Amino acid sequence: WTKMGRQELLCRLKSQLQVLTLDGRELPFSQLGWEKLVPGQPLSQLFESKVQTCAVVSSAGAILNSSLGKEIDDHDVVLRFNAAPTKGYENDVGNRTTIRIINSQILANPSFRFQTSSLYKGLVLVAWDPAPYSVDLLKWYRKPDYDLFTPYVRHRKHHPGQPFYILHPKFIWQLWDVIQGNSLEDIQPNPPSSGFIGILLMMVLCREVHVYEYIPSRRQSYLCHYYEQYYDEACTLGAYHPLLFEKMLVQRLNFGLERDLDRKGKVTLPGFSTVDC
Ligand code: NCC
């Protein structure tokens, strides 16, 4: 992998990656009636083929003072993460959100007010939790990192019309395998960040993907998130997640201008449907 050119790498990813969500057909979920609980339409078919451009907005503090809001909102689809708000930050991050990737802490920890906050309404939700690498679904169901299953079931029952998926742990670990395959060192056996999960998901669903402030621009700072006063360089470089390795891979796939990366923290990636192998 590390010796592959960009095109070869893209083809490898295209053939290897399959977006998988819990479809309720495997145990223990099949026994719990999940086949009827999950959305009828698969996540991979959610957007029409007319979806051209997708923006992925990282939550990094460095996006402050970027004035990227309008450019971000001009995309067909805008992806944000966890509890990242737009209110009060529109000029820098935009105000449209089409899809939100949330880790299981958002569902399980009452401080995020998942049931009531407007952050999680009127858009597509995609949740995930770090299951064991072995992908033993029963073991995971009994002991997730944070209980996402109970709030998921409740939410599906109350809002059956909202597309809300749980990523299959197989998909998460496929992504980890990709990051490890691309690194000469052994990376930590922890799942990729929501950012990396979202970027690769968008490469499957969109024709072109623009990622903002995931690879740091010249505004790089230790401010963890644009929406809170908390400083920690691990937010950008990683501690638990293999962030540094994820970012090296994404940088290898970038075909945007060097100037856009430097000024906007913008990376341009092709959708897999446009990659000829
Ligand atoms: O911080 P978090 O991520 O919500 O950020 C979303 C994604 O943006 C990218 N990012 C963020 C900050 C930064 N300085 N540089 C960046 O590149 C990353 O790709 C990141 O994934 C997560 O991945 O789910 C994470 O979630 C938080 C936290 O759980 C949620 O924000 C909810 O509070 C994790 N922090 C803790 O658990 C304390 C974080 O490690 C990863």
Side-chain angles (χ1 to χ4, degrees), residues 57-62 81-84 101-103 105-106 112 128 146 192-196 199 213-216 221-225 227-228 230 232-237 240-241 243 246-247:
V57 187
S58 117
S59 306
F81 299 100
N82 295 320
I101 301 218
I102 52 180
N103 68 38
Q105 295 181 41
I106 300 291
F112 292 110
W128 71 278
Y146 293 88
S193 73
S194 296
F196 189 77
I199 291 167
E213 211 58 75
Y214 174 71
I215 311 287
S221 80
Y222 290 160
L223 181 62
C224 184
H225 294 131
Y227 51 87
E228 60 188 4
Y230 168 67
D232 183 354
E233 67 179 316
C235 294
T236 306
L237 300 173
Y240 171 77
H241 299 291
L243 253 187
E246 300 173 9
K247 294 188 181 195

Side-chain angles (χ1 to χ4, degrees), residues 13-206:
L13 292 176
K14 180 178 175 166
S15 68
Q16 192 159 329
L17 284 182
Q18 231 191 320
V19 174
L20 297 171
T21 57
L22 293 185
D23 61 7
R25 290 194 210 141
E26 290 169 283
L27 283 170
F29 302 101
S30 49
Q31 252 175 8
L32 298 162
W34 276 49
E35 213 173 330
K36 289 209 183 86
L37 185 78
V38 303
Q41 193 177 21
L43 175 58
S44 54
Q45 286 165 26
L46 201 62
F47 301 141
E48 296 163 42
S49 53
K50 72 173 193 293
V51 165
Q52 299 289 331
T53 61
C54 298
V56 176
V57 187
S58 117
S59 306
I63 205 163
L64 279 182
N65 302 315
S66 68
S67 298
L68 283 167
K70 194 178 169 320
E71 175 172 331
I72 289 170
D73 279 344
D74 272 344
H75 290 76
D76 297 317
V77 163
V78 180
L79 168 77
R80 303 183 194 275
F81 299 100
N82 295 320
T86 53
K87 200 162 175 268
Y89 303 94
E90 292 88 348
N91 190 51
D92 294 326
V93 305
N95 64 30
R96 290 182 48 232
T97 312
T98 325
I99 172 164
R100 204 175 264 282
I101 301 218
I102 52 180
N103 68 38
S104 48
Q105 295 181 41
I106 300 291
L107 291 159
N109 184 335
S111 69
F112 292 110
R113 299 187 303 114
F114 175 69
Q115 298 297 334
T116 51
S117 166
S118 60
L119 285 177
Y120 312 106
K121 296 205 163 88
L123 39 73
V124 180
L125 288 172
V126 178
W128 71 278
D129 177 78
Y133 187 82
S134 61
V135 191
D136 178 334
L137 294 183
L138 184 60
K139 206 161 140 192
W140 178 45
Y141 182 74
R142 286 195 183 131
K143 203 174 173 296
D145 239 27
Y146 293 88
D147 175 27
L148 73 170
F149 302 117
T150 315
Y152 179 76
V153 172
R154 189 185 320 134
H155 196 90
R156 286 297 301 154
K157 287 186 174 154
H158 288 169
H159 311 277
Q162 181 175 22
F164 184 7
Y165 302 86
I166 295 183
L167 290 173
H168 198 294
K170 262 191 214 156
F171 178 62
I172 307 285
W173 292 111
Q174 264 178 31
L175 295 177
W176 186 89
D177 289 339
V178 163
I179 301 164
Q180 177 61 83
N182 185 59
S183 312
L184 290 168
E185 294 167 56
D186 283 343
I187 64 169
Q188 58 267 52
N190 299 326
S193 73
S194 296
F196 189 77
I197 296 171
I199 291 167
L200 274 287
L201 181 64
M202 290 298 101
M203 287 178 78
V204 174
L205 300 182
C206 313

